[in-house]
Amino acid sequence: MPDRRKNIVPNIDWFTISLYVFLVFIGWLNIYSAVYNPAHPHIFDTSQRYGKQIIWIFTAFLMAFLIMLTEASFFSVFSYILYGMVLLSLVAVIFIGRNVKGSHSWFHIGSISIQPAELGIFAINLGLAKYLSGDGITIKRAGVFMRALALIFIPMLAIVLQNETGVAVTYTAFVIVLYREGLSGNILLSILFTALLFIMALVVSKIILTGILVGIALIFFFMFTMRKTKDLFRTAAILILSVTILWGAGYGLKKLEPHQRDRIEVFLHPNLNKSKQGYNLNQAKIAIGSGSFWGKGYLEGTQTKFHFVPEQATDFIFCTLCEEWGFAGASVVLFLFVVLLIRLVILAERQRSAFSRIYGYGVASILFIHIAINAGMTLGLMPVIGIPLPFFSYGGSSLWAFTILLFIFLRLDADRLQVLK
Amino acid sequence: MNGAYSERRIIVYVIFIAMGLAYILRLYYMQIIDDSYKLDASNEAFRHITQYPPRGCIFDRNRKLLVTNEAAYDIMVVPSQVTGIDTVSFCKDLNITRDDFIAGIKKAIALNTATHPSVFLKEVTPEIYASFEEKMYKYHGFSAEVRTIRRYPMKIAPHLLGYIGEVSKELCARNPKYKEGDYIGISGMEESYEGELGGTKGEKIMMMDAMNRVVGEYKNGKYSKPPDPGDNLTCTLDARLQAYGEKLMANKAGSIVAIEPSTGEILALVSSPEYDPNLLVGSVRARNYADLAEDSITIPLFNRALMAHYPPGSTFKPIEALIGQQEGTLTPNTTYFCPGAFIMGSNVHIACDSRHGSLQLEDAIAKSCNTYFCNVFVAMMNNRAYASTEEAFDSWRKYVVSFGFGTRLDIDLPSALRGNVPTSEHYDKTFGEGRWKPGTIAWLGIGQGELEVTPLQLANEAAIIANRGYFITPHVVKSIGDNKGPGKKYTIRHYAPVDEKYFGIVVDGMSDAVSGGTAAASQIPGIIMCGKTGTAQNPDGRDNSLFIAFAPKDTPKIAISVVVERGGWGADWAAPIASLMIEKYLTDTVKRTDLEQRMMAGNTIQYLIDEKTKPKVDKKSTSAALKHKKKRTG
């Protein structure tokens, strides 16, 4: 055993680990600033959030260490079991979970709260990787595709039922994994097209949009001579589907929960009613805007400090960063995130095992969607969805979730030379 | 090994990098290009609290306090924080009604929203504030801001000192230095020295939280700016003399302007009727101002010393004597015969007070002979050196203007007027080009007709004669702050284009006027005063009584002009008042107490009131009236 450990240490990707530690540290500094309380300036004061975050960070490091000690094959072998356990808890929490602001997504064990939707995402990733890396599995087959979708959609549905739509949205990140594994690019495009259509439907008149769609269909029909009747039918089918989505969007919006509708309304009309739904977003924008190039300086933020920006230690932590460290600091952090994502893809691509590769893509995709949505919403580019910024946001549950997710992959990567398939 | 779709990683890279780039661009836009968020940030988190500087005080030339500041308190309210207040005791403490309370809160909300502080009650006196302050801790949402209001301990010189008031909306829009609700000098020295007296506002930057509560001073006041107090001013006024002049002018309409000839410093500037400057201060200003403005008969707010226009009458004769000599059309020995009127052809008939017979220049000044000076003026107009009457007149006019007539004199007080010295164009228009003769305008020789002067210009005339040829622009500021003098323009000698040697005879004539001429009743024991009476025609009613003087004759310390509207003869009111002023200034104690009593008790303003309140019969232009009226000058 001793020489085995000796073997893997040089194979660990220390670059990624350094990035991880650095981001966690910067995140913690920001939490300290966001909740900075001159009455409790001591960084280890556990009555304050920055004190608690220290505990989360150390436990996260401990978990990372334990994961590195675990046999790599454990994750492959136990992936379905872990998937099953998480799915079970996702369903169980709907009935057992305490009602927190209308959602039933948290287990409360003593003073610790755990959100399985967040924490368990590594297991969903493992399950999906296991299935897609199976012998003779190719996503081109409709059955495989449907089963893979089911692996994603079932936990998503449970999370929606917990009233955590925001977290459920992050599961759509697996589309990138499916794409890498051979999913038709057309499907990726149609998803983008549908999303675009949905948003357009809320902004532009539906009648005009319908006209435009019919126009495009006609252009296709006449300009590119349709050789087969199949093409004609396909064009007609896409047109009908698009128009249905278009008219369904308005109806769907009406069916949404009021707070979800508000968020979409605010995103589409940023100046609407600044004091109510738009308040959070507007305050966040003010905080960012006031940061200028070099920022106001550490602990010198005014907007984030005096509670203008709500949830500034959790969902809106990016604001604190932008206000105090300015364009310079925020760009560096965004740059480091992109470096991390690309590094993860490089690592994934160097895996000999499909399981490790798919899992790695999952990690990159999940981190990507969190960063894109969280930073995007504070920048006013995305609707407000209450999900954390990886490694930055306050809270043990999310930090643990991302740490476990990441380090399982780093463990798999460290073992890449041992595995042939 | 990596499956068939390895190249798809490129698309994934593109997605990741595109996100990063898009967000960095967005950050660049929000943090560097777009300014609107930065402004919003200062609005939301900071409250800029204006620190008002104390306004500079004004002292007289002997360091007696004329204007000072007194604390007043603006009661501020944040309507959203007003809860659980005992309104009965609150209203009692502030001496307001319940309706006032409700109206005040409503106004504050309308003005500044419920969560921002607004002025609830302005300029509460220290007495009322004292009882309110004790209980302020119980009145949630209320606070007090200290403001200063002006006090005038000596209650003198309201027109000269001026008053302050809230800055107008137009000025706020024009000058970013001012904000609505700020105070600014509106007249007098308060206006002309606003820059020095006003000081510079300071600012405290307080940090607010989202509930609009004060969290503390931003960076412990690192960016706050203390107010810079206004400079104190020492004015040239002699408060004692000013107060004495105001007493003498009681119940009279008119003015006194006294100047130190060697410096141009104004020693007294009385405009009567006057008012207590303390009336235009603090919360009572609006009401009192309206009352004062309502008096359209005696117009107490009107600064007669700088703005009233009078025909100078005989006080103008010394000027004619000086110009005539310089032009060579008059010598001390020039003799004219006075038959009791100046007559030229069939149209020109200007009466004299008596048949003076044959007389020379010195006597003519002392006795104020109209006939003599009409002749002096006509002789100037007929001067062979000029091609035409018009040219001669233009030359005469140039002289007159060089004595300060028809100009603002550039005094450091706002609203001084220029008076009127007619032009040849004016006569061309009135009579037709080339159709006016020296006789037509002969009344200019005795200071009548279109000629109009202000009391300040008359005092300046006296100063020029006292100085034998020059004046320093009259001014009211002696020093600014600790050691800054008045502007350079108040030290320059302006020479009249008349040689010094021609002044002697004029000074002698004026000395004679007091020692044995028209102003003989106004002699000051032990002091040789030179003076010239004036009884100026007034088309609307009784004559105006005028007098200019300086003393002592050889080393003049004071030059003065006095105008008593509707006072009648120059010797009746203006000359005695001027002599008392000079006596007071030079000796400090007035020995002629009977005269003093009589002057103080005298009431001439009644003539003005009667004239304005009784229905008018006829109202003709000055020149037309003069043509038909019997001329009479003192």
Side-chain angles (χ1 to χ4, degrees):
Chain A
M1 285 309 263
D3 28 284
R4 185 163 175 77
R5 201 176 306 148
K6 218 184 196 173
N7 278 343
I8 73 151
V9 170
N11 292 330
I12 294 173
D13 188 51
W14 291 104
F15 177 73
T16 306
I17 292 180
S18 317
L19 267 179
Y20 162 82
V21 171
F22 184 71
L23 287 168
V24 166
F25 176 68
I26 298 283
W28 176 78
L29 282 183
N30 275 290
I31 292 164
Y32 180 75
S33 179
V35 296
Y36 178 67
N37 184 343
H40 300 270
H42 201 276
I43 52 166
F44 298 115
D45 190 329
T46 51
S47 72
Q48 299 297 316
R49 280 187 161 185
Y50 40 85
K52 284 186 186 151
Q53 185 73 3
I54 284 279
I55 299 173
W56 306 139
I57 290 171
F58 278 114
T59 47
F61 285 179
L62 189 68
M63 280 177 195
F65 184 66
L66 289 174
I67 288 167
M68 295 316 275
L69 289 182
T70 311
E71 198 72 42
S73 57
F74 168 87
F75 299 106
S76 170
V77 172
F78 283 87
S79 52
Y80 284 139
I81 292 166
L82 287 167
Y83 180 93
M85 280 165 64
V86 165
L87 187 60
L88 199 66
S89 61
L90 281 174
V91 176
V93 81
I94 301 172
F95 305 102
I96 306 170
R98 213 183 290 157
N99 187 335
V100 178
K101 291 180 197 163
S103 67
H104 298 262
S105 62
W106 294 87
F107 283 120
H108 296 270
I109 306 153
S111 62
I112 297 170
S113 306
I114 285 169
Q115 193 180 27
E118 217 169 43
L119 198 62
I121 197 162
F122 78 94
I124 307 302
N125 197 15
L126 281 175
L128 186 68
K130 183 74 184 173
Y131 176 67
L132 290 178
S133 61
D135 280 330
I137 289 291
T138 162
I139 205 155
K140 286 285 180 192
R141 295 218 315 262
V144 170
F145 177 58
M146 293 313 284
R147 256 167 257 145
L149 276 191
L151 281 174
I152 300 165
F153 276 131
I154 292 166
M156 255 177 104
L157 183 68
I159 294 167
V160 170
L161 290 174
Q162 293 165 14
N163 234 335
E164 284 289 352
T165 325
V167 181
V169 166
T170 62
Y171 279 55
T172 58
F174 288 117
V175 169
I176 295 172
V177 179
L178 298 182
Y179 171 73
R180 166 63 183 84
E181 291 309 309
L183 179 67
S184 161
N186 289 342
I187 294 179
L188 203 63
L189 281 177
S190 16
I191 291 171
L192 281 175
F193 179 68
T194 309
L196 185 72
L197 210 58
F198 194 88
I199 291 168
M200 292 285 277
L202 302 174
V203 186
V204 188
S205 155
K206 281 177 218 132
I207 295 164
I208 294 173
L209 275 177
T210 309
I212 292 171
L213 287 172
V214 171
I216 292 170
L218 287 175
I219 288 168
F220 265 96
F221 187 70
F222 288 110
M223 299 290 287
F224 312 95
T225 25
M226 302 285 180
R227 271 164 303 189
K228 299 173 191 165
T229 38
K230 208 171 118 191
D231 290 335
L232 188 67
F233 277 119
R234 219 180 251 170
T235 315
I238 291 170
L239 177 65
I240 291 164
L241 195 65
S242 306
V243 173
T244 314
I245 290 167
L246 193 61
W247 290 85
Y251 179 77
L253 187 64
K254 277 188 205 129
K255 286 278 148 188
L256 285 175
E257 294 278 322
H259 74 274
Q260 292 167 334
R261 201 162 59 221
D262 285 348
R263 285 173 179 181
I264 292 172
E265 288 284 331
V266 164
F267 170 62
L268 296 172
H269 312 284
N271 295 322
L272 180 91
N273 204 350
K274 283 188 182 178
S275 58
K276 273 183 159 178
Q277 311 102 342
Y279 181 81
N280 294 7
L281 195 56
N282 198 51
Q283 291 301 333
K285 282 188 189 170
I286 289 169
I288 294 169
S290 65
S292 292
F293 192 84
W294 291 112
K296 291 179 184 168
Y298 185 56
L299 298 182
E300 299 292 349
T302 51
Q303 302 303 109
T304 46
K305 197 124 311 136
F306 300 129
H307 315 291
F308 285 103
V309 178
E311 305 289 338
Q312 66 262 50
T314 54
D315 298 346
F316 280 91
I317 189 73
F318 194 62
C319 271
T320 312
L321 180 80
C322 293
E323 191 188 10
E324 297 190 346
W325 302 79
F327 173 72
S331 313
V332 166
V333 168
L334 276 175
F335 174 75
L336 291 179
F337 268 129
V338 173
V339 168
L340 175 67
L341 294 176
I342 289 174
R343 180 70 188 171
L344 288 174
V345 174
I346 292 171
L347 294 189
E349 289 291 345
R350 80 180 181 189
Q351 301 305 312
R352 294 177 190 176
S353 118
F355 173 76
S356 303
R357 181 183 68 237
I358 296 166
Y359 183 83
Y361 262 94
V363 174
S365 306
I366 292 161
L367 289 178
F368 165 74
I369 202 159
H370 277 89
I371 296 161
I373 291 179
N374 184 287
M377 77 177 176
T378 43
L379 294 172
L381 297 172
M382 293 271 174
V384 175
I385 294 173
I387 57 165
L389 185 63
F391 316 126
F392 267 68
S393 291
Y394 168 79
S397 193
S398 68
L399 182 61
W400 290 348
F402 293 119
T403 305
I404 293 168
L405 184 71
L406 179 66
F407 277 85
I408 289 177
F409 179 56
L410 291 179
R411 179 67 192 90
L412 293 174
D413 175 63
D415 217 35
R416 65 190 178 278
L417 300 173
Q418 265 77 27
V419 186
L420 283 173
K421 164 78 189 178
Chain B
M1 190 70 66
N2 286 338
Y5 300 100
S6 177
E7 79 286 351
R8 285 195 171 182
R9 70 182 190 280
I10 306 296
I11 300 289
V12 177
Y13 289 151
V14 168
I15 293 172
F16 291 172
I17 292 169
M19 184 268 301
L21 279 179
Y23 285 14
I24 287 172
L25 279 176
R26 172 72 176 170
L27 273 174
Y28 185 79
Y29 172 75
M30 287 174 78
Q31 301 195 286
I32 295 171
I33 295 177
D34 191 354
D35 275 335
S36 61
Y37 296 125
K38 279 160 211 152
L39 290 176
D40 268 4
S42 357
N43 287 347
E44 296 277 347
F46 299 123
R47 181 177 296 158
H48 298 249
I49 296 178
T50 308
Q51 303 274 292
Y52 293 96
R55 213 175 157 80
C57 296
I58 304 179
F59 298 92
D60 91 330
R61 63 194 294 118
N62 301 313
R63 297 297 289 173
K64 264 191 213 156
L65 192 57
L66 295 176
V67 189
T68 180
N69 298 310
E70 199 173 75
Y73 299 85
D74 282 357
I75 307 294
M76 310 294 289
V77 65
V78 179
S80 66
Q81 294 172 7
V82 178
T83 46
I85 282 187
D86 178 357
T87 42
V88 176
S89 100
F90 180 88
C91 292
K92 214 179 114 210
D93 286 342
L94 281 180
N95 198 13
I96 57 172
T97 66
R98 213 184 122 71
D99 289 343
D100 291 339
F101 175 82
I102 293 164
I105 299 275
K106 276 187 183 159
K107 206 178 118 199
I109 295 173
L111 201 72
N112 246 341
T113 77
T115 51
H116 287 78
S118 321
V119 177
F120 174 76
L121 198 60
K122 275 200 149 174
E123 290 168 349
V124 171
T125 61
E127 298 81 54
I128 291 179
Y129 179 69
S131 66
F132 178 77
E133 193 194 12
E134 283 173 25
K135 293 184 213 151
M136 202 151 74
Y137 72 96
K138 283 198 277 186
Y139 303 144
H140 304 288
F142 287 91
S143 59
E145 264 184 27
V146 187
R147 296 291 291 262
T148 53
I149 57 173
R150 293 303 239 181
R151 274 295 159 210
Y152 306 85
M154 295 191 69
K155 302 180 183 172
I156 58 168
H159 299 100
L160 179 135
L161 298 171
Y163 58 93
I164 59 171
E166 269 183 47
V167 64
S168 67
K169 280 200 177 88
E170 296 79 56
L171 184 62
C172 288
R174 231 178 25 244
N175 188 341
K177 189 184 155 193
Y178 297 106
K179 290 223 163 57
E180 252 177 82
D182 285 357
Y183 284 86
I184 186 175
I186 290 185
S187 75
M189 289 179 81
E190 298 275 24
E191 181 184 348
S192 51
Y193 287 97
E194 168 65 25
E196 288 79 7
L197 289 167
T200 311
K201 281 186 285 186
E203 197 176 55
K204 253 190 189 161
I205 303 177
M206 307 302 282
M207 290 190 293
M208 316 298 292
D209 67 5
M211 307 301 290
N212 204 30
R213 291 171 303 211
V214 173
V215 185
E217 202 171 343
Y218 182 52
K219 292 208 171 178
N220 290 321
K222 194 174 154 195
Y223 293 102
S224 296
K225 211 174 61 183
D228 185 15
D231 285 333
N232 288 340
L233 295 186
T234 303
C235 89
T236 59
L237 220 57
D238 182 325
R240 233 173 8 126
L241 188 66
Q242 174 77 20
Y244 186 66
E246 289 180 15
K247 264 192 211 156
L248 288 170
M249 289 301 284
N251 295 315
K252 296 162 199 74
S255 64
I256 302 175
V257 180
I259 297 175
E260 186 174 68
S262 58
T263 58
E265 292 175 359
I266 289 179
L267 302 169
L269 191 99
V270 180
S271 174
S272 185
E274 51 156 15
Y275 56 90
D276 179 351
N278 293 304
L279 289 176
L280 296 186
V281 153
S283 51
V284 295
R285 178 180 39 245
R287 205 181 57 228
N288 288 332
Y289 186 87
D291 286 352
L292 287 168
E294 210 171 72
D295 185 350
S296 62
I297 293 162
T298 65
I299 330 176
L301 290 170
F302 181 53
N303 188 353
R304 287 174 159 78
L306 305 182
M307 301 173 79
H309 286 39
Y310 306 101
S314 301
T315 57
F316 200 66
K317 286 171 181 165
I319 301 292
E320 304 286 7
L322 291 167
I323 301 170
Q325 290 182 82
Q326 183 71 29
E327 286 286 85
T329 56
L330 177 71
T331 68
N333 303 322
T334 305
T335 309
Y336 290 110
F337 180 77
C338 170
F342 172 75
I343 302 159
M344 233 180 138
S346 54
N347 281 333
V348 183
H349 182 283
I350 297 170
C352 200
D353 306 321
S354 62
R355 302 179 73 246
H356 291 114
S358 258
L359 73 178
Q360 293 182 327
L361 181 55
E362 187 177 336
D363 231 13
I365 293 172
K367 292 177 179 159
S368 194
C369 177
N370 285 353
T371 313
Y372 191 93
F373 279 98
C374 286
N375 278 307
V376 167
F377 183 73
V378 169
M380 275 192 275
M381 294 300 110
N382 288 329
N383 189 349
R384 296 261 167 101
Y386 300 107
S388 65
T389 308
E390 206 172 317
E391 254 182 51
F393 177 81
D394 287 342
S395 163
W396 173 84
R397 188 179 190 280
K398 224 182 262 171
Y399 279 108
V400 172
V401 169
S402 70
F403 279 91
F405 295 106
T407 73
R408 270 198 74 247
L409 276 176
D410 216 7
I411 186 175
D412 50 348
L413 284 176
S415 70
L417 296 181
R418 39 178 12 115
N420 183 41
V421 180
T423 58
S424 48
E425 288 79 33
H426 170 77
Y427 290 122
D428 284 346
K429 232 182 253 169
T430 314
F431 301 108
E433 213 166 308
R435 297 191 54 191
W436 47 283
K437 302 265 166 349
T440 330
I441 53 169
W443 60 65
L444 288 175
I446 57 166
Q448 292 289 161
E450 292 84 349
L451 200 59
E452 285 184 328
V453 303
T454 65
L456 176 69
Q457 289 168 342
L458 283 178
N460 192 50
E461 176 194 341
I464 295 169
I465 300 168
N467 287 334
R468 275 74 168 173
Y470 69 88
F471 71 93
I472 291 163
T473 304
H475 55 277
V476 293
V477 146
K478 206 166 161 62
S479 66
I480 298 164
D482 292 329
N483 45 22
K484 209 174 125 216
K488 203 186 159 203
K489 65 178 178 179
Y490 297 128
T491 56
I492 297 167
R493 291 179 175 192
H494 301 277
Y495 280 90
V498 174
D499 298 343
E500 198 185 332
K501 61 184 177 199
Y502 298 127
F503 279 85
I505 189 84
V506 173
V507 170
D508 287 343
M510 287 172 72
S511 164
D512 295 348
V514 176
S515 63
T518 51
S522 298
Q523 285 180 55
I524 310 165
I527 294 167
I528 302 172
M529 173 172 82
C530 304
K532 183 73 202 75
T533 52
T535 307
Q537 299 286 317
N538 174 13
D540 300 326
R542 231 167 159 258
D543 292 342
N544 292 330
S545 171
L546 279 71
F547 192 67
I548 62 166
F550 63 89
K553 184 183 176 186
D554 295 323
T555 52
K557 293 271 186 294
I558 178 169
I560 195 166
S561 80
V562 177
V563 177
V564 179
E565 289 180 19
R566 313 307 189 255
W569 294 84
D572 286 352
W573 297 102
I577 287 173
S579 75
L580 289 167
M581 287 290 284
I582 289 174
E583 187 179 2
K584 177 79 176 175
Y585 183 67
L586 294 180
T587 68
D588 199 25
T589 43
V590 174
K591 295 193 188 76
R592 297 171 294 156
T593 46
D594 285 353
L595 181 70
E596 185 181 54
Q597 284 306 312
R598 195 153 53 78
M599 287 299 125
M600 284 182 181
N603 182 336
T604 60
I605 202 167
Q606 196 57 44
Y607 296 117
L608 183 70
I609 296 167
D610 289 347
E611 180 189 308
K612 297 245 175 150
T613 49
K614 279 172 190 161
K616 277 177 193 154
V617 187
D618 192 11
K619 203 181 170 191
K620 288 177 180 158
S621 76
T622 316
S623 59
L626 277 161
K627 260 190 165 177
H628 293 96
K629 220 171 160 184
K630 245 194 129 190
K631 301 292 172 292
R632 200 182 59 171
T633 48

